[in-house]
Amino acid sequence: MTKTRRSFFSWTRNLMAAGGVASIAPAAEAAVPATDYYAKLGVTNIINAAGTYTALTASTMPPQVRAAVDLAATSPVRLAELQQKSGEYIASRLKCEAAMVTAGASSALTLGTAACMTLGNRAAVIQLPLDTANLKNEVIVQRGHRYGYDHAIRNCGTRFVEVETLEQYEAAFTPKTVMCHFFNAAEHGQISREDWVRVAHAHGVPCFNDAAADVPPISNLWAYTQMGFDLVTFSGGKGIRGPQNAGLLLGRKDLIEAATWSNSPRDETVGRGMKVAKEQIVGMVAAIDWFLSQTDEGMQAEFRARAERIAARLKDIPGVNYEIFMPPLANAIPHLLIRYDQTKHRPPLEISALLRAGTPSIELNPATGRRSGSAGLPNAEDAIIVGVWMLQPGEDVIVANKLRAALLQAT
Ligand SMILES: *Cc1c(COP(=O)(O)O)cnc(C)c1O
C-alpha cells in the first residue's frame, strides 16, 4: 500500500468515527466562548423603546433566526443556488410567483426598478444609471408618495413624473414610462391601490408597492402581490425580525429574474454593492418561518400587555393620562402615548434626554415631544410615545420605572 492510500484510509476511518461528513463542521466549531465586542469597543447597549428604526439597529433576531444564521456561517455554498432556492422557498411561503432576498427594502427598490428598465433587454444592465437615454426611464408617482426612499429608485437613472388626480394619472403615460410606484403607508394621495394597479396594467406598465414597514398584520406579506402589484418590498429587519441588512423583493417571475441580472455577484451593475451574504439570506428565510409561526392576535396581545404594564406604573402620578394608540398602517402595533400636565413635570424632550443618559440607556420613540410623528403617529408635542414591540423580555418594567422616576424628578 502506498503512503497516499494509507493516509486516505486512515482519513476515512477517522471520518467514520466522527459519525460521517455531515457532523464534522459543527463538531469542529463547538463551544467557542463569544467575546462581547460591544463591551470591548465601548459601544453602549440600549433598551429600544422606540421601534424598528434603522439608526437604532432596528429589530433583534429571535433565537431561532440567530441559530440559523450561526449554522449557515459554518459552511460555504454556491451563492447562485442559495439565492435561487431561498427565492423559491420564500415565494411558496408568501404565495407569490417569485421572490429574492435583497440587502433591505431600499435595495429592493433599486433592483426592482432596474428590473423594469431592463426587462427583455438584459444587455442594458450595464447602462444604468447614467446611460439611459435609449431606455424607458420615467416613473409615475403620486405627489403625496414622494419620500426619502425616492433616491433608491433614482439610483437607476430614472426621473419621476408626479400626478395627483386619476385623470392626470391616466394622461401621464408616455412611451418612456417604465414603472408606476406606490408608497403603501403614504398619508397623502387620492388614488387607491386598486386604481393604481388597474390603470398601470391598462398601459402594460409594471407597478411597484413599497410596503417596507407594513407588517404586522402577517397577511400583508401576500395581500399586495395578490392585489396585482407586480413588485412588492418588505424590510427584513423591521417587523419580520430578520437581519437588519436584509429585505424582500416579491412579485412577477420575469421581473424577479430581471432583478437578479443587476444583483450581486454580477459586476458592472447598480446592485453589485448590495451584496447579501449567505448568513443574511438564511437569516431572512428563517425569519419568515419564525414570523409565519406567530399569530397577529398573539403579537398584538403581547404588545398591548407591555404597554399596559408600563402605564400601570405611571397612572397614579397626578395629571398623567395615557392611551394605547395603533398607527393605521406602518408599524401597526399598539404604542403607549403618555400625556401629562407640562406645568408639573418636565417636558417630553427632557424626559427623552434623561432616559437616554441613564443606565441602562433607553431610547423612547423619536416622535416624543415632536409635532409630526413619523409613520402614522399623532402629534406628540406634549406627549411621550413608547414603542413597545422591540423590547426584550423584562425591559418593559425597567422602562416603566425609569419613566416614573423621570416624571417625578423635580423640574
Ligand atoms: C424602512 C423603509 C425602507 C427601507 O428599508 P431597509 O430595509 O432599511 O432598506 C424603505 N421604505 C419604507 C417605506 C420604509 O419604511
Side-chain angles (χ1 to χ4, degrees), residues 54 104-106 147 149 183 210 212-213 235-236 238 246:
T54 298
S106 193
Y147 63 165
Y149 297 100
F183 169 25
D210 177 357
S235 184
K238 293 183 180 171

Side-chain angles (χ1 to χ4, degrees), residues 246-309:
L248 296 171
L249 182 62
L250 311 175
R252 246 167 61 190
K253 204 173 170 106
D254 58 344
L255 286 171
I256 298 293
E257 194 199 337
T260 68
W261 302 338
S262 286
N263 191 27
S264 164
R266 289 168 194 85
D267 302 338
E268 300 207 72
T269 64
V270 288
R272 179 57 181 84
M274 300 175 182
K275 183 189 285 180
V276 191
K278 60 186 179 304
E279 293 84 359
Q280 277 70 51
I281 295 176
V282 167
M284 190 69 248
V285 175
I288 289 168
D289 277 344
W290 174 82
F291 193 60
L292 296 182
S293 75
Q294 307 294 300
T295 64
D296 289 319
E297 300 71 32
M299 287 189 282
Q300 298 292 334
E302 167 62 23
F303 301 146
R304 195 166 285 273
R306 292 178 193 175
E308 293 283 5
R309 272 196 296 273

